[in-house]
Amino acid sequence: MSRLAAGVVLVTAHEPPLDPEGPPGEDVGMTATAFMSVSLDPPLAMVSLREGSRMDDLLAEQPLWAVSVLAESQRHIAGRFAMKGRVSDRLLFEDIPYERGEASGAPLVGGALATLECRTEQRVAAGDHTLVIGHVLTASIPSAEGGPLAYFRGRYRQLA
Ligand SMILES: Cc1cc2nc3c(=O)[nH]c(=O)nc-3n(C[C@H](O)[C@H](O)[C@H](O)COP(=O)(O)O)c2cc1C
């Protein structure tokens, strides 16, 4: 599969606070290439999440999530949200321009080639991953210019 060139997205969701009186909730992000369009009518998209990853655990509880299609200049964002063993994502968002999606409350990365907000419609356990199929609630194009961040043979690439 490393021979299949893929676009790179950041999947995001907002983890609500455990206690509404306590500390605020946290934004969570995960770099992914296993993201695809599924249906046009109704509009559905899907992401495949490693079972037991933080995003898989979060989306088991939180039906609203978002996807930012990363631009070639956003390699550093992909890198930081792919790190294993992170304790918190709070600091990782600090220097990234983002807006909070109106439909999902999830971060939408500024300068991304496209952003989508989704509500989970179906979860399918598939081996050691969960396929999360979402109804697309909103779609926007923050950055009309710029090429995609791609991943091929284990490396980030940009189109020549
Ligand atoms: C280029 C790239 C693509 C990735 N694509 C996926 C993916 O589609 N699904 C997935 O579950 N993890 C994917 N990962 C791994 C996650 O980003 C990584 O496991 C996660 O951020 C680490 O958090 P965790 O410890 O909760 O898994 C990818 C990593 C990289 C570098």
Side-chain angles (χ1 to χ4, degrees):
M1 293 306 288
S2 69
R3 262 62 176 177
L4 179 64
V8 182
V9 306
L10 184 69
V11 182
T12 54
H14 184 74
E15 185 168 50
L18 280 176
D19 169 7
E21 314 268 298
E26 185 174 298
D27 294 321
V28 177
M30 194 192 82
T31 301
T33 47
F35 175 72
M36 64 185 289
S37 157
V38 171
S39 159
L40 280 178
D41 187 16
L44 302 175
M46 183 184 88
V47 65
S48 175
L49 301 176
R50 186 176 59 78
E51 200 178 87
S53 62
R54 180 146 187 231
M55 189 57 76
D56 183 45
D57 290 347
L58 175 54
L59 295 198
E61 309 290 332
Q62 165 61 282
L64 297 168
W65 45 283
V67 166
S68 299
V69 178
L70 297 180
E72 60 194 7
S73 61
Q74 296 178 320
R75 185 185 296 220
H76 60 291
I77 298 177
R80 72 170 72 167
F81 285 98
M83 288 181 307
K84 286 231 175 265
R86 320 195 292 276
V87 176
S88 160
D89 282 2
R90 200 180 300 277
L91 290 174
L92 301 189
F93 280 104
E94 238 171 29
D95 62 346
I96 295 176
Y98 67 86
E99 283 180 18
R100 197 165 290 288
E102 281 187 15
S104 65
L108 307 176
V109 176
L113 297 186
T115 60
L116 300 175
E117 293 178 277
C118 298
R119 178 191 298 277
T120 300
E121 193 149 297
Q122 208 179 333
R123 290 170 57 84
V124 181
D128 58 9
H129 278 60
T130 309
L131 308 180
V132 182
I133 300 172
H135 189 110
V136 180
L137 304 171
T138 71
S140 65
I141 300 179
S143 173
E145 300 298 319
L149 181 62
Y151 198 70
F152 177 63
R153 294 185 68 174
R155 284 177 50 190
Y156 293 107
R157 318 268 182 165
Q158 50 193 68
L159 297 186

